[in-house]
Amino acid sequence: MTARPGEPHRLLIRDLAQLVTPSGEGVPLRGEALGEVQLVRDAYLLCEGGLVGDVGRMKDLRLKGDLLEVDGRGLCAIPGLVDCHTHLCFAGDRVDEFALRAGGAGYEELHAAGGGILSTVRATRAASERALAESVTRHRDWMLRAGTTTFEGKSGYGLDRKTELASLRAIRAAGGVPTFLGAHAVPPEFADAPSYVEFLLAEVLPEAAELAESADVFLERGAFGLVEARRYLEACLAFGLTLRVHGDQFTESGAVQLAIELGARSVDHLEATGEDGIRALAASGVTAVLLPASALFLGRSMPPARRLVDAGAAIALATDFNPGSAFCESLPLVCSLAATQLGLTPAQALSACTVNAAHVLGRAHDVGRLAPGFRADCVLLDAPDWRYLSYHLGGDVVSSVVQNGRVAWARQS
Amino acid sequence: MTARPGEPHRLLIRDLAQLVTPSGEGVPLRGEALGEVQLVRDAYLLCEGGLVGDVGRMKDLRLKGDLLEVDGRGLCAIPGLVDCHTHLCFAGDRVDEFALRAGGAGYEELHAAGGGILSTVRATRAASERALAESVTRHRDWMLRAGTTTFEGKSGYGLDRKTELASLRAIRAAGGVPTFLGAHAVPPEFADAPSYVEFLLAEVLPEAAELAESADVFLERGAFGLVEARRYLEACLAFGLTLRVHGDQFTESGAVQLAIELGARSVDHLEATGEDGIRALAASGVTAVLLPASALFLGRSMPPARRLVDAGAAIALATDFNPGSAFCESLPLVCSLAATQLGLTPAQALSACTVNAAHVLGRAHDVGRLAPGFRADCVLLDAPDWRYLSYHLGGDVVSSVVQNGRVAWARQS
């Protein structure tokens, strides 16, 4: 039979052309290990109680008791994808701005002209909490169809107490890993970044810290400087949140050094990072989260992925899904960009958006690999070789998605 | 009701959020006209006998007799997309080569090492005619799901009499517009390009000309030089074929001047074209076919689209779908690349892959616009604004596809 939504809890996916999984115990993969994946041909995957029970070759399969079988012939199984950097909680869109930019206007120019992040803030503040929750589940479902079974979601389009907290609740309710990004932009009702940060820490952080797992800041010219970023992150750390940093997207601004000093999980973007930053990251435990869809969407230069990997840094890949600078929820497309723009092999890209992304989210014990005891999250690719994930640019490669051992989405055949 | 495959022949798509179509009578759009599209809000589209019967605003709709209605609420209609440059007839894949290139090897390097086009030629020659036909219909169906209702297909992976003719038959049988690309590469059994061209003209062209509408040549260092290209194209012209030229992909090689001199329909690629070539094209009737997915796939620089448009040249967009340098059948992704990499607005991109592409294929009287008397080919986008075609990077924007007034494909909802 074919995989269909709503199946029972013991599931055998059999006769898979290939099953592939990264390794990666304990710490994020780096160096040679990033590109080393385990490949099983003519494989099966057994899911029990929502977890991976067993993985192996068909010739070694010993059936035990009742189970639902899924025909994997002609398909390849990879772990469910992990998107560790998204801004999926917003109302409205930025298609007008997109069309203007395509015709020649620059990002910072549009931002200065009243477009940019603050236009989405206006739409998001005007939306009801229910509308916000619906936007998050709609975007989550888009991601699921593209193979993402674990996602992070940031607040940051509210910038007031009510909307920031509503955003975090919506992300959590949709099953996402919530990140408090109050320090995304300075809203118009504040005179400057320092006074807005004081408001955030006094009025929003105490409750945000109950809802979020991490905190993030947009450290960039025109957003938050090094002094305010440090003040914000140290306060969030004291409330028990792990740390992320948006850094070096347009200019090198000290984000790498701050992330390392504060023991952040990651520093994200890095399009503008130079050799010193690369060396510092390689010597640190901070993961470099690369967002090539964002660089492509803005028509800017790509982050120095190859040099980061060669230097020994841990990298992850994510979509940066958001309405302004990366209206893209597809990690398969990100894997294609990784191969064609970043110089990452399909295996390196797979590790970067599964096990390493899971490390960034503190979920590496649970998701990102197809190994016994891990959550039974898997993507079935309609392809004769799993590397079509990167190779089939913009292709409709995701055939079905298994989440917690159940078929959560299956393409019409 | 919702659109579903296999509907009867009189179809009303009603309550569309938007319906958009380029203009373009007689000659390809250029200059300001390229970006001018007609937009109807709260629209309907009536299809009768496989043709567009009428287009208008819902408030002006007068129902006449029995028809099947499709609910267009929340959807936008655009013309069926026209892909005027594809190499969809091949066997095998090039995923090994892709992975090697991602790890650092160059295209010409892989070609010299026995990979490249000739590896696909080996696989294609080894396939049965039935297997080739199945590959063409499989790829055509991929294209259809991405919104392409008219496609060109080139031979060029046979390079022998039998396989070139089988390829053209397969493309024609699948409903494609066939182009004879015998001069794609020099196969190993020939000592040089001139002797292979003489073979093509004597042994293949007479029958190929019965099957194909156009002829094409790969004019490039390592493939065919100016002398052989001219000899081949002039002979094909004498057999009644219209002309296309692959030119300036890696090096400027006189393709633009040759195309203009011979009155070719198009010159395609142009990544390496400089100011002289741009000026010459702008002053000519030859359309510049731009293939940004190919440039992206190979990690090379983009063609000078903005400068071509500003100079007044006619441009079209296509996928270049092929297993080696553009494994991408998605014109929506090409429209996103056009906006983010080429500086084309969503409206310019739409005109370039509908009406202007139809001109390249000699079909502009029939397809590429939603106007009375045109073929009733249309894409319904699952989006509040038709510009999501470009804006939703890698998104699942195509909701359903109408071809000849019938629903040819509809996404699972």
Side-chain angles (χ1 to χ4, degrees):
Chain A
M1 67 163 294
T2 314
R4 279 282 161 257
E7 320 251 86
H9 226 184
R10 194 146 179 267
L11 191 77
L12 175 70
I13 309 173
R14 56 178 300 152
D15 297 304
L16 286 158
Q18 301 178 347
L19 180 150
V20 70
T21 183
S23 51
E25 305 285 348
V27 293
L29 296 172
R30 56 177 84 205
E32 292 290 313
L34 184 72
E36 287 163 6
V37 295
Q38 296 169 300
L39 174 66
V40 186
R41 293 179 200 279
D42 194 21
Y44 71 88
L45 170 67
L46 179 66
C47 310
E48 296 181 301
L51 303 180
V52 174
D54 194 13
V55 164
R57 299 199 56 175
M58 281 305 293
K59 69 180 176 54
D60 301 322
L61 174 64
R62 301 289 170 269
L63 285 174
K64 11 176 186 177
D66 275 353
L67 37 73
L68 189 78
E69 297 195 4
V70 169
D71 183 357
R73 281 178 295 178
L75 307 178
C76 296
I78 60 172
L81 302 176
V82 179
D83 197 341
C84 66
H85 184 133
T86 91
H87 306 253
L88 86 171
C89 184
F90 60 86
D93 64 33
R94 300 252 285 279
V95 68
D96 287 326
E97 176 184 319
F98 177 82
L100 283 172
R101 195 170 59 240
Y107 180 73
E108 286 166 309
E109 190 182 336
L110 290 163
H111 185 90
I117 291 170
L118 291 179
S119 68
T120 298
V121 171
R122 284 190 293 275
T124 304
R125 285 178 174 181
S128 67
E129 180 152 358
R130 180 173 171 174
L132 271 192
E134 284 170 357
S135 116
V136 171
T137 55
R138 183 170 66 252
H139 298 150
R140 175 200 65 192
D141 292 347
W142 289 359
M143 290 180 177
L144 181 74
R145 291 204 307 235
T148 298
T149 51
T150 301
F151 68 94
E152 182 247 26
K154 303 177 195 291
S155 69
Y157 290 121
L159 311 186
D160 63 19
R161 177 185 155 80
K162 171 170 157 283
T163 319
E164 284 294 306
L165 297 176
S167 298
L168 293 171
R169 280 191 295 268
I171 293 159
R172 180 179 274 272
V177 179
T179 296
F180 174 48
L181 179 59
H184 193 198
V186 179
E189 63 271 24
F190 285 87
D192 54 25
S195 61
Y196 175 56
V197 166
E198 293 314 312
F199 158 78
L200 282 177
L201 301 187
E203 305 293 330
V204 190
L205 176 59
E207 280 181 76
E210 300 290 313
L211 296 165
E213 297 191 10
S214 299
D216 195 352
V217 57
F218 187 24
L219 177 44
E220 186 59 66
R221 197 174 60 194
F224 296 88
L226 208 48
V227 172
E228 299 92 54
R230 176 190 295 278
R231 166 98 176 108
Y232 172 82
L233 290 173
E234 284 179 342
C236 291
L237 189 63
F239 267 86
L241 297 175
T242 57
L243 302 183
R244 312 280 302 271
V245 185
H246 277 69
D248 296 359
Q249 182 178 9
F250 303 117
T251 52
E252 269 197 301
S253 47
V256 167
Q257 292 68 26
L258 183 66
I260 293 169
E261 182 191 329
L262 298 181
R265 283 261 177 77
S266 73
V267 57
D268 304 39
H269 272 295
L270 302 172
E271 288 90 331
T273 303
E275 287 305 324
D276 288 351
I278 290 169
R279 273 195 298 273
L281 278 167
S284 80
V286 178
T287 296
V289 176
L290 308 179
L291 309 165
S294 169
L296 187 89
F297 202 84
L298 295 179
R300 299 185 71 99
S301 60
M302 290 284 158
R306 183 81 263 149
R307 287 183 290 143
L308 282 161
V309 170
D310 289 346
I315 64 157
L317 287 166
T319 60
D320 195 22
F321 177 68
N322 78 75
S325 62
F327 195 52
C328 173
E329 74 276 13
S330 170
L331 280 171
L333 180 60
V334 166
C335 288
S336 291
L337 295 176
T340 60
Q341 309 304 299
L342 301 184
L344 301 181
T345 65
Q348 291 173 324
L350 181 70
S351 298
C353 66
T354 54
V355 61
N356 275 16
H359 276 292
V360 170
L361 299 184
R363 295 287 196 284
H365 58 286
D366 193 33
V367 302
R369 297 170 58 201
L370 291 177
F374 276 65
R375 234 167 65 186
D377 292 350
C378 124
V379 181
L380 298 184
L381 300 174
D382 182 10
D385 186 303
W386 74 270
R387 296 171 298 173
Y388 275 56
L389 178 69
S390 290
Y391 173 57
H392 197 165
L393 175 65
D396 195 7
V397 289
V398 175
S399 166
S400 58
V401 182
V402 172
Q403 196 170 30
N404 294 313
R406 295 169 189 272
V407 178
W409 184 79
R411 192 175 73 190
Q412 187 180 31
S413 55
Chain B
M1 65 164 296
T2 315
R4 280 282 161 257
E7 319 254 83
H9 226 182
R10 196 146 178 265
L11 191 76
L12 175 70
I13 309 173
R14 56 179 300 151
D15 297 304
L16 286 159
Q18 300 178 346
L19 180 148
V20 71
T21 184
S23 51
E25 304 287 347
V27 293
L29 297 172
R30 56 177 83 206
E32 292 289 312
L34 185 72
E36 286 163 5
V37 295
Q38 296 169 299
L39 174 67
V40 186
R41 294 178 199 279
D42 194 22
Y44 71 87
L45 171 67
L46 178 66
C47 310
E48 296 180 300
L51 303 179
V52 174
D54 194 13
V55 163
R57 298 199 56 174
M58 282 304 293
K59 69 180 176 54
D60 301 322
L61 174 65
R62 301 291 171 268
L63 284 173
K64 10 175 186 177
D66 275 354
L67 36 72
L68 189 78
E69 297 195 4
V70 169
D71 183 358
R73 281 178 294 178
L75 306 178
C76 295
I78 61 171
L81 303 176
V82 179
D83 197 340
C84 67
H85 184 134
T86 91
H87 306 253
L88 87 170
C89 183
F90 60 86
D93 63 33
R94 302 252 285 278
V95 67
D96 287 328
E97 175 184 320
F98 177 82
L100 282 172
R101 194 171 60 240
Y107 180 73
E108 286 165 308
E109 189 183 337
L110 290 163
H111 185 89
I117 290 170
L118 292 179
S119 68
T120 298
V121 171
R122 285 190 292 275
T124 304
R125 286 179 173 180
S128 67
E129 180 151 359
R130 181 173 170 174
L132 271 193
E134 285 171 355
S135 116
V136 171
T137 55
R138 184 170 66 251
H139 299 149
R140 175 200 65 192
D141 292 348
W142 290 0
M143 291 179 176
L144 182 73
R145 291 203 307 234
T148 297
T149 51
T150 300
F151 68 94
E152 183 248 26
K154 302 177 195 293
S155 69
Y157 291 121
L159 311 186
D160 62 21
R161 179 186 154 78
K162 171 172 158 281
T163 319
E164 284 296 304
L165 297 177
S167 298
L168 293 171
R169 280 192 293 269
I171 293 159
R172 180 179 274 271
V177 179
T179 297
F180 174 47
L181 179 59
H184 193 198
V186 179
E189 63 272 22
F190 285 87
D192 54 24
S195 61
Y196 175 57
V197 167
E198 293 314 312
F199 157 78
L200 282 177
L201 302 187
E203 304 293 330
V204 190
L205 176 59
E207 280 180 75
E210 300 291 313
L211 296 165
E213 298 191 10
S214 299
D216 195 351
V217 58
F218 186 25
L219 177 43
E220 185 62 64
R221 199 174 58 194
F224 297 87
L226 207 49
V227 172
E228 300 91 55
R230 175 190 296 277
R231 165 98 177 109
Y232 172 83
L233 291 174
E234 285 180 341
C236 291
L237 189 63
F239 268 86
L241 297 175
T242 56
L243 302 184
R244 313 279 304 271
V245 185
H246 277 69
D248 296 359
Q249 182 177 8
F250 303 117
T251 52
E252 268 196 302
S253 47
V256 167
Q257 291 69 25
L258 183 66
I260 293 169
E261 183 192 329
L262 298 182
R265 282 263 177 76
S266 72
V267 57
D268 304 40
H269 271 296
L270 302 172
E271 288 91 330
T273 303
E275 287 305 323
D276 288 351
I278 290 169
R279 272 195 299 271
L281 279 167
S284 80
V286 178
T287 295
V289 176
L290 309 178
L291 309 165
S294 169
L296 187 89
F297 202 84
L298 295 179
R300 299 184 70 99
S301 60
M302 290 283 159
R306 184 81 261 148
R307 286 183 292 144
L308 283 161
V309 170
D310 289 347
I315 64 158
L317 286 166
T319 60
D320 194 22
F321 177 67
N322 78 76
S325 63
F327 195 52
C328 173
E329 74 277 13
S330 171
L331 280 171
L333 181 60
V334 167
C335 289
S336 290
L337 295 176
T340 60
Q341 310 303 299
L342 301 184
L344 300 181
T345 65
Q348 292 173 323
L350 181 70
S351 297
C353 65
T354 54
V355 62
N356 275 15
H359 276 291
V360 170
L361 299 184
R363 296 288 195 282
H365 58 286
D366 192 33
V367 301
R369 298 170 59 201
L370 291 176
F374 276 65
R375 234 167 65 188
D377 292 349
C378 124
V379 181
L380 299 184
L381 300 174
D382 182 10
D385 186 303
W386 73 270
R387 296 171 298 173
Y388 276 56
L389 179 69
S390 290
Y391 173 56
H392 197 166
L393 174 64
D396 195 8
V397 289
V398 174
S399 166
S400 58
V401 181
V402 172
Q403 197 170 29
N404 295 312
R406 295 171 190 270
V407 178
W409 184 80
R411 193 174 73 190
Q412 188 179 31
S413 56

